[in-house]
Amino acid sequence: MFIFVLNAGSSTYKCSLFSKQALESHQPEEPLWRALLEWGQNAHAVIHSKGKRRELTISAEGDKAFEELLRDAWSGPDAVIPGPEAIEAAGHRVVHGGEKFVEPSLINRETIKAIEEMSVLAPLHNVENLKGIKASQQLFPQAKQVAVFDTAFHRNMPEEAVVYPIPYRWRKQKIRRYGFHGISHQYCTGKAEAMLGQQKTAKIITCHLGNGASLAAIHEGKSIDTTMGFTPLEGLMMGTRSGSVDPGVLLHLMKSYGMDADQLENMLLYESGLKGICGVEDMRDVIQNAARGDAKAKLAFDMYVHSVRKHIGAMAAVLGGIDALIFTGGIGENSPEIRQAVSEKIRFLEIAIDSEKNISCRPDEDIAKKDSKARLLVIHTREDWEIARQALSFCGRR
Ligand code: ADP
């Protein structure tokens, strides 16, 4: 039997298929079949199956496009499963689980309602996650549908890391730090332990640097603090999201410039971060433009590095030291420039980057110098594998 994994976002759906047998392996394996579906005027997908890469342009729209794509797994030229009925469970990434969901959960009417209610807290994400869940229910009605939450890994954070210093009555209204990217932080923690052993990874900082970005402080396998908060907007500077800004700035924009909540939301989510400073949101473009002498791109790069470094300092202080620092996500895995710049100024944490290893790095790899006290790992995050494993283990427990 097989496990289907869906990470449904607003512009892309990432789909993977694993055999149950593969998921028993300690080493994460490649999915039997995986596809990246990009929604545009015509949906377009890149499919990897049986060692081959194919592209597919899909004429149908919405759920029908999703169905047409998935049919490729059982009736395409490189089919890997006999039919949709071979899917035993579907694991779904859900970004915000609030206080209610701290473990993977079976998706039923009640779960859907609760996820819908939490959409106010993660409007960019939960709504899209739900669309994907509903499409998958239609396509695989026999499968157990399991939600795996990005907030769940942070469930053990102590109250002092959770509560915001605003009147305490708001804590009771569930206004608190939740933290996100938990599936990735959790996967990387497990992978680091496998690479170095538990003793050498008692105090880890995981840096998930993708379009969205967050750090987590992990003590003995548990997240004890993280940079994202009530929503995935707090903390580091990101591609188009601002990360933390003085709340006083927002008040000033409202009072003196007449900006309303929708305008502020649009600015903070889509018009800020790298894009807000230099007009491009992809770190590759930022680096290229900076190298060509674009001063704003150079500023955006420097601000990004400053933001990551500053938050690493905060996480290290919370942990009281650091055994390993982990880079992951599109930027963390692929940008030697960012890794070098961030690592250079945190030598006081007894981290010494090996610049040659950093340049030639192929994740998963330790790029610290031999005599570096703390290790520096670059890990290819495998949220799909983590979701599949959690979904399977949930089904096994029931
Ligand atoms: P998401 O957060 O949407 O899952 P990813 O983790 O895949 O996205 O990160 C995507 C981002 O990674 C891109 O927007 C780009 O900025 C960055 N990226 C990818 N490859 C490179 C690279 N070689 N150098 C610098 N940045 C890169």
Side-chain angles (χ1 to χ4, degrees):
M1 294 302 263
F2 301 89
I3 310 292
F4 171 65
V5 174
L6 178 61
N7 181 348
S10 56
S11 54
T12 62
Y13 274 22
K14 293 176 187 160
C15 315
S16 312
L17 268 175
F18 294 94
S19 74
K20 260 173 91 171
Q21 208 180 2
L23 291 165
E24 274 151 26
S25 155
H26 288 295
Q27 286 293 336
E29 294 196 8
E30 280 303 306
L32 285 172
W33 178 96
R34 72 182 153 93
L36 174 69
L37 175 64
E38 288 188 69
W39 299 106
Q41 243 178 2
N42 273 325
H44 179 263
V46 177
I47 299 170
H48 288 86
S49 179
K50 294 192 169 164
K52 289 181 221 151
R53 177 188 185 280
R54 277 178 298 117
E55 296 197 17
L56 194 67
T57 299
I58 302 169
S59 48
E61 288 175 11
D63 287 359
K64 287 267 174 281
F66 180 59
E67 189 181 332
E68 195 174 318
L69 168 67
L70 286 182
R71 223 180 293 130
D72 183 87
W74 56 87
S75 57
D78 302 303
V80 290
I81 58 170
E85 62 290 342
I87 304 293
E88 187 178 334
H92 297 273
R93 176 187 185 208
V94 179
V95 167
H96 214 313
E99 287 193 325
K100 192 175 170 79
F101 297 111
V102 293
E103 297 285 349
S105 302
L106 188 69
I107 296 171
N108 49 30
R109 232 178 273 156
E110 197 188 315
T111 326
I112 289 190
K113 191 162 168 271
I115 297 173
E116 262 162 9
E117 280 164 12
M118 274 168 306
S119 295
V120 219
L121 308 181
L124 264 186
H125 301 100
N126 271 29
V127 176
E128 303 300 333
N129 301 156
L130 274 170
K131 278 190 204 157
I133 288 173
K134 287 177 183 166
S136 161
Q137 282 178 320
Q138 297 253 318
L139 210 52
F140 309 120
Q142 80 296 341
K144 285 199 185 95
Q145 309 276 341
V146 182
V148 180
F149 297 91
D150 250 331
T151 40
F153 183 56
H154 303 293
R155 64 183 169 273
N156 297 305
M157 288 192 299
E159 277 297 282
E160 66 265 28
V162 160
V163 183
Y164 285 114
I166 54 177
Y168 192 74
R169 64 175 182 278
W170 294 112
R171 167 72 183 90
K172 294 192 183 126
Q173 299 300 321
K174 301 188 173 59
I175 296 184
R176 46 158 287 185
R177 178 181 311 286
Y178 291 97
F180 299 88
H181 288 140
I183 298 164
S184 175
H185 290 302
Q186 182 168 10
Y187 171 79
C188 289
T189 303
K191 185 72 197 172
E193 284 171 356
M195 288 167 78
L196 300 174
Q198 278 185 353
Q199 259 181 345
K200 290 185 180 157
T201 50
K203 295 172 180 176
I204 312 184
I205 298 173
T206 42
C207 310
H208 179 104
L209 311 178
N211 286 318
S214 72
L215 310 186
I218 295 159
H219 187 237
E220 292 176 349
K222 291 185 173 153
S223 167
I224 59 164
D225 205 352
T226 188
T227 55
M228 282 180 169
F230 177 62
T231 72
L233 184 54
E234 197 183 347
L236 303 173
M237 174 181 183
M238 305 177 219
T240 65
R241 279 176 254 170
S242 61
S244 295
V245 290
D246 176 357
V249 170
L250 310 181
L251 297 175
H252 179 67
L253 291 176
M254 290 172 94
K255 286 184 179 172
S256 306
Y257 291 83
M259 284 180 82
D260 64 20
D262 288 341
Q263 288 170 317
L264 282 179
E265 181 176 71
N266 191 54
M267 180 187 90
L268 296 171
L269 291 176
Y270 305 111
E271 300 296 331
S272 297
L274 297 170
K275 186 179 171 194
I277 301 301
C278 69
V280 292
E281 61 191 77
D282 189 312
M283 186 56 86
R284 285 166 288 202
D285 298 331
V286 175
I287 291 173
Q288 231 174 41
N289 294 352
R292 279 203 289 260
D294 178 337
K296 293 262 180 60
K298 168 84 171 59
L299 173 63
F301 180 89
D302 290 345
M303 285 171 65
Y304 190 89
V305 170
H306 177 77
S307 167
V308 175
R309 200 195 293 146
K310 184 163 144 176
H311 285 88
I312 287 176
M315 294 294 122
V318 167
L319 285 165
I322 165 172
D323 297 314
L325 180 75
I326 295 161
F327 284 109
T328 192
I331 299 175
E333 292 170 32
N334 297 302
S335 175
E337 297 89 344
I338 290 287
R339 293 192 300 255
Q340 184 73 37
V342 168
S343 308
E344 261 165 17
K345 292 234 175 133
I346 52 170
R347 292 235 174 97
F348 72 98
L349 290 170
E350 300 185 83
I351 293 175
I353 186 168
D354 182 324
S355 301
E356 279 172 26
K357 275 194 192 159
N358 178 38
I359 288 170
S360 62
C361 168
R362 297 258 172 282
D364 306 317
E365 199 177 324
D366 183 347
I367 58 164
K369 281 189 178 153
K370 267 213 174 91
D371 58 357
S372 172
K373 193 151 168 253
R375 307 316 301 168
L376 196 48
L377 305 182
V378 182
I379 294 179
H380 172 43
T381 194
R382 287 291 308 276
E383 286 155 302
D384 58 345
W385 176 259
E386 186 66 39
I387 294 169
R389 296 255 292 193
Q390 291 195 26
L392 183 63
S393 128
F394 170 83
C395 292
R397 283 198 299 272
R398 283 174 68 89

